[in-house]
Structure formats: structure tokens, C-alpha cells
Amino acid sequence: FASDNPMDFRHNQIMPGKLYVVATPIGNLSDITERAIKTLKDVDLIACEDTRHTKKLLQHFGINTKTLSYHEHNEIQREKELIDSLINGSDVAVVSDAGTPAINDPGYRLVRAAIDAEVEVVPIPGPSALITALVASGLPTNEFFYAGFLPARSNARQTRLRELSSILATLVFYEAPHRLLPSLKDAREILGERHAVVARELTKLHEEIRRGLLSELVEYYEGSAEPRGEIVLLIDQTVVATADVTEEAGSSVGQLVAEFERQGLDHRAALKKAARELGLPRAEAYPRLVAERGRN
Ligand code: SAM
């Protein structure tokens, strides 16, 4: 349809394409979804973190769609090209090397740019290492805090762990094999004794899920060769009541309750908060408070 009437400009406009954010397997190729395969076949272009890597996946599933590299070094330049293609009617899929794009992988900026350009964004869900690890960890899943990679340098790592120490949720990190042990040691020192899980090579041949107290995991990895492969580290929100912690807790429930009451909480809420801060089961906080008062 072409019209000479300038008021008909809308009819001449091309419908913009859609941006599909497509999750791919984190190891086991059978984890790809039917919808991901169909989408990757149907789109006009696939923006890949690494085209060579993704081409192997595409080949495996008989997908011949054109690919284009889109990674942290050319993100800004590619963004414009990709948005132009979308505005001109092409459907584009974005994938990363493994797992869900935009989760510690390229994708976020493109999604943001698409939204700003009024291009529809369609998520095609699938594997992500953090969720895969969390559900098998045995740590509480009702609230979790995904903190990406910890800093590489110990000082910065300890500062970050300190920032995270009061979060009341399971902590989830991605970790490099050579930094696992230093991170476990720093976590034990800064966060105290807690239950933790090292989930390694998920969905792959050598999948391993190791659970233990932070100090037990430190001991284990100190005594074994550096682990190989890809790792998710998960840490419980609660400090386990070891002898030293119990001692500390026993003398401070009352102080914390008083402090929170000063801040405006009622007694019940203050006690609940004190229990959380100290990593105590709530049922234990009140008897401790009473015992403390008895001692003073
Ligand atoms: N976008 C990906 C996702 O959704 O999981 C994460 C990409 S991030 C650059 C890569 C990190 O994810 C690895 O260093 C590792 O910590 C974690 N990871 C990826 N695949 C994994 C696997 N199969 N097992 C354990 N951890 C994995």
C-alpha cells in the first residue's frame, strides 16, 4: 500500500521487529527448549556473544540463521545497528555463550535500547546457572540475593562481603575455580560460620554439588586440587551457632533489642530483628533474653 496523501504516512510505515532474549543450555544441549529452537530458526538475525561458539549450537540443531557478534567490547556500536534492524522490521534474537542473556552476560543494554526505541522485547526462558544451583542447594529459596561475581582482589572482596553480611536471603555468587578457596576463606571470616554449597559443572558430565559449613568447605578445598570448570557458590543467610557465636549472641540480645526499641520498633519486632541479626532461630531469642536478664 502506497499513498500520495501525506496523512497516510502510518500505512507506509514498516512494523518494527521484535527482540527475543533467548536462553541456551549451560552444558547439556538437551536443555534447550522447543521455543528457543523455533525462535532461533524464525528470526532474521541472531546477536551472539561469540559467533563461533553459538554456531556450534546452531549447527547441532540445524539452524542456519545469520549471526552477528555482540559482546562487551562492541556492545555500544552494535546496539545502534541492531536497533536500526529492529526498527526496519527485522526480528532479532540475542543469545549469550551459555544460559540466560543479560544475567552476567551481554543483553541488558540491548533490551534497554529496544524498550527506549519502543521495540517489543520477548523473553524465551530457559537455563540459568544461578537458578539451577539454587534449587538443588537445599538452602532456602523463598528469598535469595544474586550478587554476580565477587571482586577478584581480597580487600574489595571482603568489603563486598561485609556489605552483604546483613542480607536476610540466600546469597548466590558466580565464582571462578581459582578464586573459590580464597572466597570461601573470606566468606568464613566476614560472614561467620554458615551453611554453603558449591555447585560445579551443572548439567554436565562431572556435575558436583558439595554442601557443608564454610569452614568444612575451606578444609576440603585446601586439601584437594583446584576444582575445574564452572562454579556457583551459595551461602545461607544464617550464622550457625558455634561456641564463640553463641557466647557473643548470649550477651547481646538485650542490647540489640534495646537499640531497636530506641529506633522505634515495638518489643516484639525488636526481638525478631535481633534474632535475625544474630542468626538465631526466633524461638531461641526470647529464652536467651530472659536468661541474660537473669544473669545481669
Ligand atoms: N548467563 C549465564 C547464566 O544465565 O547462568 C551466566 C554467565 S556468567 C558469564 C558464567 C558463570 O556462570 C560461570 O563462571 C559460572 O560461575 C556460572 N555457570 C555457568 N554455567 C555453569 C554450570 N554449568 N555450572 C556451574 N556454574 C555455571
Side-chain angles (χ1 to χ4, degrees):
F1 177 86
S3 165
D4 293 334
N5 181 349
M7 293 308 285
D8 281 339
F9 70 97
R10 281 175 199 283
H11 297 282
N12 292 331
Q13 269 194 349
I14 305 161
M15 281 286 288
K18 292 180 185 172
L19 175 66
Y20 295 88
V21 184
V22 182
T24 59
I26 55 169
N28 189 325
L29 289 186
S30 306
D31 290 337
I32 199 156
T33 67
E34 273 182 41
R35 198 163 164 231
I37 296 176
K38 183 170 178 347
T39 304
L40 294 174
K41 277 189 178 154
D42 289 351
V43 292
D44 300 291
L45 183 63
I46 304 173
C48 316
E49 187 179 3
D50 177 343
T51 49
R52 280 202 312 201
H53 183 98
T54 297
K55 271 182 184 156
K56 286 185 205 149
L57 179 85
L58 299 181
Q59 233 163 33
H60 183 88
F61 290 104
I63 299 167
N64 301 312
T65 310
K66 201 172 125 191
T67 59
L68 184 77
S69 73
Y70 171 72
H71 46 69
E72 55 181 342
H73 303 296
N74 68 2
E75 237 175 352
I76 294 170
Q77 169 211 334
R78 279 286 196 255
E79 208 168 279
K80 201 183 161 333
E81 284 173 55
L82 289 166
I83 296 296
D84 282 349
S85 302
L86 284 157
I87 288 171
N88 288 321
S90 296
D91 284 327
V92 174
V94 59
V95 300
S96 60
D97 284 353
T100 302
I103 303 296
N104 236 289
D105 267 344
Y108 165 75
R109 287 187 55 103
L110 189 58
V111 167
R112 192 59 254 168
I115 294 164
D116 292 343
E118 294 182 14
V119 165
E120 192 179 336
V121 177
V122 185
I124 309 290
S128 184
L130 75 104
I131 298 291
T132 311
L134 178 69
V135 296
S137 68
L139 298 177
T141 54
N142 55 337
E143 288 187 55
F144 64 90
F145 187 94
Y146 167 62
F149 285 91
L150 279 167
R153 290 184 43 246
S154 187
N155 268 353
R157 185 164 56 227
Q158 293 194 356
T159 304
R160 180 71 180 132
L161 284 165
R162 237 168 256 124
E163 286 166 6
L164 299 172
S165 63
S166 59
I167 290 181
L168 295 169
T170 298
L171 301 174
V172 186
F173 303 97
Y174 285 164
E175 195 48 279
H178 64 283
R179 284 205 287 266
L180 177 65
L181 182 56
S183 289
L184 285 169
K185 283 182 174 170
D186 282 348
R188 171 64 186 87
E189 189 187 322
I190 306 290
L191 303 177
E193 186 70 300
R194 299 186 187 201
H195 288 284
V197 177
V198 175
R200 198 173 63 82
E201 294 288 87
L202 293 165
T203 78
K204 302 186 202 176
L205 186 62
H206 298 292
E207 178 176 281
E208 179 190 46
I209 302 173
R210 188 167 290 281
R211 304 174 181 88
L213 293 171
L214 280 169
S215 61
E216 291 169 347
L217 292 170
V218 167
E219 200 182 319
Y220 174 80
Y221 287 105
E222 266 176 343
S224 46
E226 188 179 287
R228 291 193 181 180
E230 300 192 283
I231 292 169
V232 183
L233 168 64
L234 306 98
I235 303 178
D236 195 16
Q237 61 178 279
T238 324
V239 178
V240 172
T242 54
D244 54 324
V245 174
T246 311
E247 184 67 17
E248 220 173 87
S251 62
S252 55
V253 178
Q255 286 163 10
L256 276 180
V257 168
E259 174 59 32
F260 294 141
E261 283 178 342
R262 259 198 304 280
Q263 288 172 13
L265 294 186
D266 64 31
H267 185 68
R268 219 176 121 86
L271 188 63
K272 191 169 151 188
K273 193 167 174 191
R276 281 181 158 200
E277 290 260 308
L278 294 165
L280 288 173
R282 221 183 297 164
E284 254 181 56
Y286 185 66
R288 255 180 221 273
L289 184 65
V290 173
E292 260 178 63
R293 286 185 179 154
R295 276 202 301 271
N296 294 337

